[in-house]
Amino acid sequence: MKRLHLAIYLLSLSCFSALSQNHPLDPLSWQEYWTVLEVLRAEGHLTDGTGFSMINLREPDKQAVWKWKAGEPFERGAYATVHEGKTAYHAEINLKEKKLDIWRELEDAQPTWLGQEFGSMVDTIKKHPEVIAAMKKRGYDDLQFIDLFVSPPGYYGTEEQKGRRIGHAGFIDVQGVRNSWSRGIEGLVVVVDLREQKILRVVDEGVVPLPEENIDYDPASIGKTREVPGPIHISQPMGKGFSLDGHIVEWQKWRFHIKADHRVGMIISTVTYGEGEDRRPILYKGNLSEIFVPYMDPAFDWYHRNFLDAGEYTQGGLCKPLLKGLDAPDYAHYMNALVCGDDGRPVPVPQIIAIFERESGDPSWRHYSFDMEPESRKKRDLVVRSAAVLGNYDYVFDWIFQQDGSIRVQLGATGIAEAKPAIQKDANDPNRKDDDLYGRFVDPHIVAVNHDHYFSYRIDLDVDGSTNNLVMDRLRQRMLPEEHPRRSVWVRDPMFPKREGDVKVNIDLHKPALWRVLSTSRKNHVGYPTSYQLMPGKTTNTLLSADDFPRRRAGFINHHLWATPYDVSEQFAAGDYPTLSLPDQGLPSWVKANRSIENTDIVLWYTMAMHHMVRAEDWPVMPVLWHSFEIRPFDFFNGNPAMDLPRN
């Protein structure tokens, strides 16, 4: 039996390692990960204690990628973030020549957490006299079933933080429960220096008893489930309607490259749309760039919880396996991936991306006429999906390709809201203590804390080529002459930003505007430059003050729209190394140069946001809440591109 299990395991590994690189943007192969390790070892930069926050593909030259044709050779490079003792380094490796191009110490930046950094401190923390005394006050003489978690607290400019790798350690009582998210031991935090492996101080803000409510959500805990009569079966008996060649997807008139990425989860690249022999470029690269989740409780145990998730919490990769038939249909095509382990070795992750067609029953277009036969066309989409797990929260990321030339980018938030024990029982407690001032009761003695979610997307549109312009079509009221029966209409008032400093835009419903990227080389049949519009969906503005350190570290949340000239080094909205980062990294820093964005290669950055005041209905697991925006053609075609859809 053991031999059978071993054979199955080796076969599964071969499925990952057999993947070859057929495209310049393909993710690193199994052997390429090992090439990185072998080169670093040969250069004397690999020991038993060396750790890795990241090994990933080095971005190839953009124009070389657009010009590349199947079968042609291409360059391959990788970069790595390496921990050696108390120091971290940035490395770049030429994979074809197997040589080290760059080895640079990270002097003013800190890479993401490694499990080994705080794992070795668990016993030290549990044995600290102040921790033992604080836990005894809470009724614990034995810490066997107490788990620790250590998180970066963000940067606040304190003397304690300067020059250190600070972590805040908290405690969870996991005894007897499956879901321990309501079992945090409130008011007790240990501040540690991970570089020195030292405890700096123990902060005890007072005892709060743990709630007795069990919030497990396994089938046995839920009990009898409802009846859902009339099962719906969806299948594709004639096979999938798209083709997949390595990482290249072709579906109807769309063609694009897709891959899983350790840091940002999923990347869609080289998107083109075919019209006969004409294959028109639309998008070079689109992906999530950063997530920011600040909590709204000023207690010491909570104020430091302002997470830059994509930059700080990518240990093991941002995205995790999808559950077949539950997170995506049974008939979906599932893609596997490799991510970097703490030791730099490749780790297989199965079913990390799902690709599937779906029909929701909606029309693509219709018109009912009394003068001619009514017409309607059925809508079909191609969905590309991944899902992230970031502690308590799960996120579902969709890129939805539509038959009318639009791409809908959709994000679903689910998982478990972070909550704290409360002395007050509930909102009706006669001994009310305002325990829900910074959150809402979701169970007796449990308050889910108010918080925000901000998502930055990097959208590198190349509309009919890489040389584009940005236009802000402002819609303004125009008054009509006194003698006219109407008093007012609205008209288009275009504004063409010339520099990136002109673009920092926030949505104002009283000042509507359309955001479009225009081609400089092509017009449609009525003379307008071809363009694609970034159409925002539901979003919000930040309520954090401008001088609040969390907001300054996540400066991309200051505006819904930014525009920068293309720079291969500018990939992440909060900077390359957001862990314990100084303020104003990433977008706020870049746009200070106020570079030209006129007649050049433009990158848009869109911030989608939501305030989350947690409902009872969000507990113990939150129903998926969807937010979205759309990348849609605007004068790109000469008419409705879905007119040729068949009737059946």
Side-chain angles (χ1 to χ4, degrees):
M1 183 62 69
K2 288 183 179 178
R3 289 183 177 179
L4 177 59
H5 289 166
L6 177 61
I8 294 172
Y9 175 70
L10 292 175
L11 178 61
S12 69
L13 292 186
S14 70
C15 293
F16 290 91
S17 60
L19 294 173
S20 60
Q21 284 58 56
N22 299 316
H23 189 282
L25 295 175
D26 282 356
L28 298 179
S29 69
W30 185 274
Q31 186 53 53
E32 285 178 326
Y33 274 94
W34 281 102
T35 297
V36 170
L37 297 178
E38 290 161 2
V39 169
L40 293 178
R41 181 178 62 180
E43 294 287 338
H45 298 308
L46 189 65
T47 68
D48 290 341
T50 303
F52 292 81
S53 292
M54 182 76 63
I55 298 177
N56 214 335
L57 178 71
R58 181 167 61 187
E59 283 289 318
D61 178 77
K62 176 178 177 176
Q63 293 309 318
V65 172
W66 271 130
K67 293 174 183 176
W68 176 83
K69 292 181 173 54
E72 294 179 349
F74 50 85
E75 295 297 318
R76 293 288 284 179
Y79 72 91
T81 307
V82 187
H83 300 244
E84 284 194 350
K86 299 175 184 178
T87 308
Y89 299 88
H90 172 79
E92 294 190 21
I93 296 93
N94 185 313
L95 294 171
K96 284 201 170 184
E97 296 183 15
K98 297 186 178 181
K99 71 181 184 71
L100 183 63
D101 290 338
I102 296 174
W103 179 259
R104 182 181 70 245
E105 181 178 346
L106 298 178
E107 296 181 351
D108 299 317
Q110 298 199 37
T112 55
W113 255 218
L114 294 181
Q116 65 194 38
E117 288 186 89
F118 58 80
S120 58
M121 291 199 68
V122 170
D123 286 344
T124 303
I125 293 171
K126 285 187 175 183
K127 291 176 182 177
H128 193 278
E130 290 183 55
V131 171
I132 292 172
M135 294 300 284
K136 279 189 175 181
K137 284 197 303 183
R138 292 163 169 80
Y140 296 97
D141 293 316
D142 181 359
L143 304 188
Q144 181 71 35
F145 300 118
I146 302 298
D147 282 358
L148 266 71
F149 65 94
V150 181
S151 59
Y155 181 80
Y156 295 90
T158 65
E159 289 301 317
E160 180 180 67
Q161 289 184 319
K162 291 177 181 177
R164 287 190 167 119
R165 189 161 170 81
I166 295 290
H168 282 201
F171 303 83
I172 305 172
D173 182 347
V174 299
Q175 185 171 356
V177 298
R178 294 178 176 85
N179 180 11
S180 60
W181 283 105
S182 68
R183 305 282 292 176
I185 296 173
E186 189 65 20
L188 181 61
V189 177
V190 180
V191 182
V192 299
D193 183 333
L194 291 176
R195 282 204 184 108
E196 300 296 332
Q197 295 283 288
K198 286 173 52 178
I199 294 174
L200 300 180
R201 58 184 168 128
V202 177
V203 179
D204 189 346
E205 294 187 306
V207 176
V208 180
L210 280 183
E212 297 180 356
E213 299 297 318
N214 186 313
I215 60 167
D216 288 344
Y217 53 86
D218 58 292
S221 299
I222 293 172
K224 185 179 178 181
T225 57
R226 72 176 73 179
E227 289 188 19
V228 182
I232 298 173
H233 296 291
I234 301 174
S235 64
Q236 287 188 292
M238 299 179 67
K240 61 183 184 291
F242 61 90
S243 64
L244 189 64
D245 180 8
H247 292 267
I248 296 290
V249 179
E250 290 201 53
W251 179 70
Q252 297 188 22
K253 299 182 179 184
W254 290 103
R255 182 192 293 165
F256 56 91
H257 183 276
I258 178 173
K259 71 173 177 181
D261 182 82
H262 187 112
R263 177 158 175 171
V264 299
M266 180 171 65
I267 298 176
I268 306 292
S269 303
T270 58
V271 178
T272 60
Y273 194 92
E275 290 186 304
E277 298 299 316
D278 190 8
R279 181 148 295 280
R280 302 173 65 184
I282 294 171
L283 175 76
Y284 178 67
K285 186 177 175 184
N287 57 271
L288 174 78
S289 175
E290 189 54 87
I291 305 172
F292 178 50
V293 185
Y295 284 79
M296 301 297 153
D297 191 318
F300 188 85
D301 193 15
W302 284 87
Y303 83 82
H304 71 274
R305 302 189 193 201
N306 48 96
F307 306 123
L308 287 160
D309 281 331
E312 291 178 334
Y313 293 95
T314 50
Q315 182 185 359
L318 185 82
C319 287
K320 300 297 185 288
L322 294 162
L323 304 180
K324 188 175 183 180
L326 300 171
D327 293 328
D330 278 321
Y331 62 84
H333 174 84
Y334 291 87
M335 297 180 71
N336 304 325
L338 297 170
V339 297
C340 169
D342 277 5
D343 57 4
R345 299 180 185 183
V347 177
V349 183
Q351 297 180 186
I352 200 168
I353 292 174
I355 309 171
F356 58 94
E357 294 177 287
R358 71 178 176 199
E359 292 181 351
S360 60
D362 296 332
S364 174
W365 58 266
R366 75 180 298 275
H367 182 62
Y368 193 96
S369 173
F370 294 101
D371 300 323
M372 56 188 296
E373 186 176 356
E375 294 286 358
S376 184
R377 296 295 186 271
K378 186 164 52 177
K379 183 176 187 285
R380 177 180 291 197
D381 296 332
L382 181 72
V383 182
V384 184
R385 173 170 295 170
S386 63
V389 181
L390 294 161
N392 56 307
Y393 261 100
D394 295 48
Y395 299 108
V396 180
F397 302 102
D398 284 356
W399 285 71
I400 304 168
F401 291 82
Q402 302 176 111
Q403 294 163 312
D404 64 357
S406 300
I407 306 170
R408 188 173 186 82
V409 184
Q410 188 166 267
L411 183 144
T414 178
I416 300 172
E418 277 216 77
K420 59 188 293 185
I423 295 174
Q424 185 180 325
K425 180 181 179 182
D426 55 31
N428 291 319
D429 192 328
N431 300 314
R432 186 174 180 85
K433 300 178 183 295
D434 287 333
D435 279 356
D436 59 348
L437 179 61
Y438 303 110
R440 304 274 295 176
F441 281 101
V442 291
D443 247 339
H445 298 290
I446 301 177
V447 171
V449 178
N450 298 334
H451 58 281
D452 292 336
H453 299 260
Y454 300 89
F455 307 93
S456 173
Y457 278 86
R458 183 180 183 275
I459 310 295
D460 183 5
L461 286 164
D462 280 12
V463 180
D464 278 326
S466 297
T467 304
N468 293 155
N469 281 309
L470 178 64
V471 63
M472 321 286 282
D473 287 321
R474 299 172 297 188
L475 308 182
R476 296 194 184 280
Q477 182 186 83
R478 173 170 289 183
M479 300 302 296
L480 297 176
E482 289 289 337
E483 63 272 17
H484 198 285
R486 283 280 298 276
R487 294 303 309 121
S488 62
V489 295
W490 62 260
V491 295
R492 169 181 176 258
D493 179 16
M495 190 270 281
F496 294 87
K498 295 182 181 299
R499 297 194 170 273
E500 55 191 338
D502 301 332
V503 179
K504 298 180 283 187
V505 174
N506 287 322
I507 295 169
D508 183 345
L509 297 182
H510 296 288
K511 298 177 180 178
L514 281 66
W515 309 334
R516 294 191 292 129
V517 173
L518 278 65
S519 168
T520 59
S521 61
R522 185 162 178 163
K523 295 181 179 180
N524 72 353
H525 72 307
V526 290
Y528 292 121
T530 59
S531 76
Y532 256 76
Q533 176 192 1
L534 174 57
M535 186 172 73
K538 181 171 57 178
T539 189
T540 190
N541 295 310
T542 184
L543 296 175
L544 300 178
S545 65
D547 60 348
D548 197 349
F549 266 100
R551 177 172 175 177
R552 292 178 62 195
R553 291 180 61 241
F556 66 85
I557 72 172
N558 293 340
H559 305 290
H560 293 116
L561 182 70
W562 307 70
T564 59
Y566 176 83
D567 185 326
V568 69
S569 69
E570 297 176 357
Q571 299 288 329
F572 308 112
D576 291 342
Y577 303 102
T579 301
L580 300 170
S581 60
L582 298 175
D584 304 318
Q585 303 296 302
L587 276 168
S589 174
W590 303 333
V591 301
K592 287 178 182 177
N594 204 22
R595 297 164 294 185
S596 172
I597 55 169
E598 190 177 21
N599 297 319
T600 192
D601 193 351
I602 301 169
V603 177
L604 300 186
W605 306 76
Y606 174 61
T607 307
M608 185 165 61
M610 60 179 172
H611 303 304
H612 192 182
M613 188 167 68
V614 183
R615 316 169 298 161
E617 292 84 355
D618 292 336
W619 191 255
V621 180
M622 176 184 170
V624 179
L625 177 62
W626 292 100
H627 284 62
S628 65
F629 64 95
E630 197 153 313
I631 303 167
R632 61 196 296 257
F634 198 111
D635 295 334
F636 188 79
F637 300 103
N638 290 334
N640 180 354
M643 290 302 296
D644 62 352
L645 292 179
R647 264 188 159 191
N648 296 324

